[in-house]
Amino acid sequence: MSQVNVEAVKNYLLSMQDDIIRQLEEEDGQSFFHDDWERGPEEKLRGGGRTRVIENGNVIEKGGVNFSHVMGDSLPASATAHRPELAGRSFQALGVSLVIHPKNPNIPTSHANVRMFIAEKEGEDPIWWFGGGFDLTPYYPVEEDVIHWHETAKAACEPFGDEIYPEYKKWCDDYFVLKHRNNETRGVGGLFFDDVNEDSKGWDFEQSFAFMRAVGDAYIKAYRPLVAKHKDDDFTEEQREFQLYRRGRYVEFNLVFDRGTIFGLQTGGRTESILMSLPNVVNWKYNWSPEPGTPEARLYERYLKPQDWLGLEG
């Protein structure tokens, strides 16, 4: 078994958080609020983290880029349901999770997460794995932007095998689905991976960690150009209303289906940090649907279903 280096993972995650915040602050012109927190040894979930949030910025209406490193005596049902061998083990979980909700409807919302878990039991080898990914939720999508997003994702995966991008692109398409909304996707996808380790991929710790870093580094390369390109675009009040309506879908997914949200709440995590992913302004309308032939209808017809954006399946 390869040597596990939790400290190296932690150092990378902290530097990743700092770099993403720096680049987003350069685009926005306002700073993120810093909130460092710690849980005491007597609590169910121990450890701490660095929450970084921006609200009502020049470009970003609500955004959070959070780091946490927590420990507990047992994993919750959300983690052990599909991996019963983890039951009865103590655990550490560390990662960076972020969501950016821009003001301008022409800038997509984006989400990224990279994480490592290690589950331990006296007298047995530790079980470790990596997970994460990133996905894009446009309101008024531009095809070349979606292609750029997926090209960046593919480039991050290529050093690890030709099959990696199609595999984790499909997992992302399958995961970010609102089943109660006729299986519409949350957006145009990206990458989603979990349980990456020696058993699942044949990758030792260093290779698995390298893949997590590749995905973590690719996020801001994929997203910042879209922010810069569209942050000064004009938009109408009708477009703003549609953005707020579509944000409702984002909220529904995060509260009903999102693994990270469920895990955090089941383990007694820090609620303010867990729910920083929710936008500060959102609308629901009863039984609304877009008018045929409009850009809003085009979103549903073309973009809210899995597509071969890079033409790899032909």
Side-chain angles (χ1 to χ4, degrees):
M1 172 172 284
S2 56
Q3 187 66 35
V4 176
N5 190 340
V6 174
E7 196 63 25
V9 176
K10 182 175 182 177
N11 289 337
Y12 165 74
L13 292 170
L14 290 170
S15 67
M16 173 192 166
Q17 182 191 34
D18 287 341
D19 180 61
I20 290 172
I21 289 169
R22 176 186 61 79
Q23 295 202 48
L24 291 175
E25 286 179 340
E26 287 174 358
E27 291 297 336
D28 190 282
Q30 290 195 27
S31 297
F32 280 68
F33 170 74
H34 290 205
D35 183 14
D36 296 346
W37 56 274
E38 189 170 347
R39 287 288 185 82
E42 75 286 351
E43 298 197 48
K44 178 182 177 182
L45 194 68
R46 304 176 294 279
R50 306 194 315 187
T51 296
R52 304 290 185 262
V53 174
I54 184 170
E55 292 185 286
N56 299 312
N58 296 312
V59 177
I60 302 169
E61 185 163 26
K62 172 77 175 295
V65 184
N66 293 350
F67 163 82
S68 64
H69 181 192
V70 296
M71 312 92 183
D73 294 330
S74 62
L75 284 154
S78 61
T80 59
H82 70 297
R83 297 190 66 174
E85 73 274 15
L86 301 178
R89 287 176 175 258
S90 63
F91 73 94
Q92 294 185 61
L94 57 162
V96 167
S97 182
L98 67 92
V99 177
I100 304 299
H101 294 287
K103 285 183 175 179
N104 194 315
N106 295 294
I107 308 174
T109 286
S110 69
H111 159 260
N113 170 266
V114 288
R115 59 193 180 272
M116 176 197 168
F117 281 80
I118 181 167
E120 298 174 285
K121 191 173 185 178
E122 189 174 351
E124 299 186 21
D125 289 334
I127 299 174
W128 56 265
W129 69 97
F130 290 91
F134 51 76
D135 64 287
L136 193 71
T137 304
Y139 307 97
Y140 291 92
V142 176
E143 190 118 346
E144 67 182 29
D145 295 347
V146 178
I147 292 171
H148 158 76
W149 181 261
H150 279 274
E151 285 178 339
T152 308
K154 182 174 181 289
C157 296
E158 280 179 339
F160 302 88
D162 292 341
E163 76 284 0
I164 298 301
Y165 166 75
E167 178 183 353
Y168 292 148
K169 186 264 187 192
K170 183 179 187 306
W171 199 350
C172 188
D173 288 338
D174 293 343
Y175 176 71
F176 289 104
V177 171
L178 289 101
K179 300 171 186 176
H180 62 295
R181 295 288 190 180
N182 296 317
N183 289 319
E184 70 181 45
T185 59
R186 189 168 80 172
V188 296
L191 298 172
F192 181 89
F193 66 98
D194 205 359
D195 302 322
V196 166
N197 59 15
E198 289 175 309
D199 293 336
S200 66
K201 305 303 294 182
W203 297 346
D204 64 12
F205 178 84
E206 286 302 326
Q207 192 172 9
S208 300
F209 180 26
F211 179 70
M212 187 198 81
R213 294 197 306 271
V215 173
D217 293 343
Y219 161 75
I220 198 68
K221 297 176 186 176
Y223 189 55
R224 184 175 181 178
L226 306 186
V227 176
K229 178 180 178 181
H230 295 295
K231 66 181 182 181
D232 295 321
D233 288 358
D234 293 332
F235 61 91
T236 66
E237 186 59 35
E238 289 75 18
Q239 289 175 317
R240 170 67 170 168
E241 284 296 311
F242 182 65
Q243 176 197 42
L244 299 185
Y245 172 75
R246 287 300 309 171
R247 281 182 180 175
R249 297 293 207 269
Y250 209 92
V251 171
E252 290 173 21
F253 183 89
N254 277 27
L255 294 181
V256 178
F257 299 112
D258 187 76
R259 287 187 186 181
T261 302
I262 295 168
F263 175 85
L265 296 176
Q266 284 188 351
T267 55
R270 189 171 187 264
T271 303
E272 286 300 316
S273 297
I274 295 167
L275 297 183
M276 66 83 196
S277 63
L278 303 181
N280 52 1
V281 185
V282 60
N283 283 344
W284 276 269
K285 296 180 182 180
Y286 179 75
N287 202 26
W288 182 87
S289 60
E291 291 291 328
T294 62
E296 293 80 9
R298 176 72 171 161
L299 174 71
Y300 287 80
E301 295 162 358
R302 169 69 174 156
Y303 294 93
L304 298 185
K305 56 185 69 175
Q307 303 284 358
D308 177 21
W309 297 109
L310 302 183
L312 301 178
E313 299 171 10

